[in-house]
Amino acid sequence: MTDQPIDSKLNARSRIVEAARQLFFRQGYTATGMSQILKVADVRSGSLYYFFPSKAHVLRAVLETYLDLLEPNILRPAFERAADPLERLFAVLDGYRQLLQASNFELGCPIGNLALELSASHPQARPLIAENFEAWSIAITALIESFADRLPRDVRPATLARHVQATMEGAIVLARAYHSVEPFDQAMHQLRDYVERLLRDGAIQGGPSDRAAEQP
Amino acid sequence: MTDQPIDSKLNARSRIVEAARQLFFRQGYTATGMSQILKVADVRSGSLYYFFPSKAHVLRAVLETYLDLLEPNILRPAFERAADPLERLFAVLDGYRQLLQASNFELGCPIGNLALELSASHPQARPLIAENFEAWSIAITALIESFADRLPRDVRPATLARHVQATMEGAIVLARAYHSVEPFDQAMHQLRDYVERLLRDGAIQGGPSDRAAEQP
DNA sequence: GTCTATAACTCGATAGAC
DNA sequence: GTCTATCGAGTTATAGAC
């Protein structure tokens, strides 16, 4: 339900990357052996090492795949459930909530997992991990920008997006530790309360006409 | 600077736990071998397996140690730097910022690391991991409760503490991935903005005298 | 309680035929 | 591109003397 068996019609390289992706997500990078990847991908070691000189290169391919998966796996499903930008934002967050529950809290955010596991020991992977976080926060920034005129003037969309991202990542950590959505829901409740207060304070501060007249 | 060499005057059991704690913190549980623990603790395997029947039992001892370290390592230093409860809260958070920088982003939150690495694969460890998170959030809840009368009535201290915790944990994930305090600072900036707005809205809603007169 | 030696296995990676 | 067979090192854990 949370990950598909690997399509045997895919070529060997794609099967390897997909198998590694699923295994790294469930078990982590270090805990996943090459032999396990070979088995799930239904490939022999000669083929794997033909495409990838080392396990670290498989990781690189997995992280590149996640860049491609952001739109179809994370953003699009959420955007189809809501039209309003603010609701789209919370629909993205709710997507992670659904995954936590559907996987019995075994799956959260694959990038967050790898960030903590590998940031110190595998510096080569760090830029790609950061790139994944950056793509996510840019997408959230774009959503926030589309209602930024209703926020207090001193709230910067990119900074607020980063805050949303941090709260999300941490909420996933807590939910997985507690095996419960309660800490996740508590964090999201306060996050929504914050955004609502920002919108109220933005409305008090002045509507769009006030802003247009604001040039000196 | 970020972790001490192990005191050779400690008994073997303590040296083992301390060595394991430091190694798990820096490298993770799976990536740390028993042989490494033996080397750092300066103990032979016969001694280790005399005290702990398996690696998982060493982990358990490490997680129990962290419960004891919360007060002296996290809370007390922060409480000594600030007297006001609100500033104490942000002093705790700043302690993690200092550790991130002092360790060149190799060390963040040991519990967060283990939560993501082991929640799925080592269910036996999960309750102890949750217990550590719980102790932290209880301490933060106590701080918030001491100025709860200045917050809007519908803000529950425990829920706000959970939000603070989630934002912190996620901010650490991002800082380590980016090798920069910027995402950490952005998340903390918005968190402080949120708390300040709560205090302003709480003041508008009514001071302590209003609250006392509120019983029906 | 601590020592040495090692069993039983898995790890990432390679060689060389086809 | 894919196969089988395997290398050498490392893994967790154990045996048995002291």
Side-chain angles (χ1 to χ4, degrees):
Chain A
M1 177 152 248
T2 46
D3 48 29
Q4 298 78 22
I6 289 162
D7 186 346
S8 57
K9 275 169 285 183
L10 290 175
N11 59 34
R13 203 197 121 103
S14 302
R15 291 207 307 280
I16 290 164
V17 175
E18 178 59 16
R21 191 184 68 76
Q22 292 183 13
L23 288 164
F24 293 168
F25 194 9
R26 286 202 169 273
Q27 308 179 331
Y29 175 78
T30 310
T32 298
M34 294 296 255
S35 61
Q36 241 180 322
I37 297 174
L38 297 174
K39 199 165 157 186
V40 173
D42 191 29
V43 156
R44 257 50 57 198
S45 75
S47 296
L48 196 157
Y49 283 97
Y50 172 80
F51 292 109
F52 302 101
S54 78
K55 189 183 176 184
H57 288 78
V58 177
L59 172 65
R60 165 167 287 272
V62 166
L63 285 168
E64 282 163 357
T65 299
Y66 276 121
L67 287 173
D68 299 330
L69 292 179
L70 174 63
E71 213 280 314
N73 280 17
I74 309 292
L75 301 178
R76 195 183 308 149
F79 289 11
E80 280 169 4
R81 293 202 301 277
D84 176 67
L86 179 61
E87 292 315 314
R88 282 185 166 182
L89 191 163
F90 283 99
V92 169
L93 305 186
D94 190 62
Y96 288 90
R97 187 186 193 277
Q98 287 178 30
L99 179 60
L100 284 165
Q101 287 201 301
S103 69
N104 195 32
F105 303 97
E106 287 183 11
L107 303 180
C109 171
I111 311 303
N113 297 352
L114 294 172
L116 287 190
E117 184 183 356
L118 303 174
S119 284
S121 57
H122 290 61
Q124 327 87 310
R126 256 194 39 235
L128 259 174
I129 291 169
E131 211 177 313
N132 272 279
F133 279 139
E134 193 64 15
W136 197 97
S137 77
I138 284 173
I140 299 300
T141 300
L143 286 177
I144 294 173
E145 272 167 349
S146 71
F147 59 86
D149 57 338
R150 296 164 55 207
L151 296 171
R153 285 175 189 73
D154 59 346
V155 173
R156 296 197 53 245
T159 308
L160 182 54
R162 195 63 84 192
H163 175 72
V164 170
Q165 186 175 35
T167 304
M168 251 293 298
E169 289 292 332
I172 289 171
V173 174
L174 297 177
R176 294 192 58 204
Y178 281 88
H179 252 225
S180 163
V181 286
E182 199 196 356
F184 185 94
D185 289 344
Q186 290 181 317
M188 292 304 125
H189 170 79
Q190 297 291 12
L191 185 61
R192 193 179 265 273
D193 181 61
Y194 178 36
V195 175
E196 284 169 359
R197 283 178 202 276
L198 286 177
L199 290 173
R200 258 180 271 151
D201 292 356
I204 290 168
Q205 198 178 63
S209 58
D210 293 30
R211 281 164 199 265
E214 208 178 44
Q215 308 291 358
Chain B
M1 176 151 249
T2 46
D3 48 29
Q4 297 79 21
I6 288 162
D7 187 347
S8 57
K9 276 169 285 185
L10 290 175
N11 59 34
R13 203 198 120 102
S14 302
R15 290 206 308 281
I16 290 164
V17 175
E18 178 59 15
R21 192 185 67 77
Q22 292 183 13
L23 289 164
F24 292 169
F25 195 9
R26 287 202 169 274
Q27 309 179 331
Y29 175 79
T30 311
T32 298
M34 293 297 255
S35 60
Q36 241 180 321
I37 297 174
L38 297 174
K39 198 166 159 185
V40 173
D42 191 30
V43 156
R44 259 49 57 199
S45 75
S47 297
L48 196 157
Y49 284 97
Y50 172 79
F51 292 110
F52 303 101
S54 77
K55 190 182 176 185
H57 287 78
V58 178
L59 172 65
R60 164 167 289 273
V62 166
L63 285 168
E64 281 163 358
T65 299
Y66 277 121
L67 287 173
D68 298 330
L69 292 179
L70 174 64
E71 214 280 313
N73 281 15
I74 309 292
L75 301 178
R76 196 184 307 150
F79 289 11
E80 280 169 5
R81 293 201 302 278
D84 176 67
L86 179 61
E87 293 314 312
R88 282 185 165 183
L89 192 162
F90 283 100
V92 169
L93 305 186
D94 190 62
Y96 289 91
R97 187 185 194 276
Q98 288 178 29
L99 179 60
L100 284 165
Q101 287 201 301
S103 69
N104 194 32
F105 303 97
E106 286 183 10
L107 303 180
C109 170
I111 311 303
N113 297 351
L114 294 172
L116 286 191
E117 184 183 356
L118 303 174
S119 284
S121 56
H122 290 63
Q124 327 87 310
R126 254 194 41 236
L128 260 174
I129 291 170
E131 210 178 314
N132 272 278
F133 279 139
E134 194 63 15
W136 197 97
S137 76
I138 284 173
I140 299 300
T141 300
L143 287 177
I144 295 172
E145 273 168 349
S146 73
F147 58 87
D149 57 338
R150 297 165 54 208
L151 295 172
R153 285 175 188 74
D154 59 347
V155 174
R156 296 198 54 245
T159 308
L160 181 55
R162 194 64 84 192
H163 175 72
V164 170
Q165 186 175 34
T167 304
M168 252 292 298
E169 290 292 332
I172 289 171
V173 175
L174 298 177
R176 294 192 58 203
Y178 281 88
H179 252 225
S180 163
V181 285
E182 200 197 355
F184 186 94
D185 289 344
Q186 290 182 318
M188 291 304 125
H189 170 79
Q190 298 291 10
L191 185 61
R192 194 180 264 275
D193 182 61
Y194 179 36
V195 175
E196 285 169 1
R197 283 179 202 275
L198 286 177
L199 290 172
R200 256 180 272 151
D201 291 357
I204 290 168
Q205 198 178 63
S209 59
D210 292 33
R211 282 165 199 265
E214 207 179 44
Q215 307 292 358

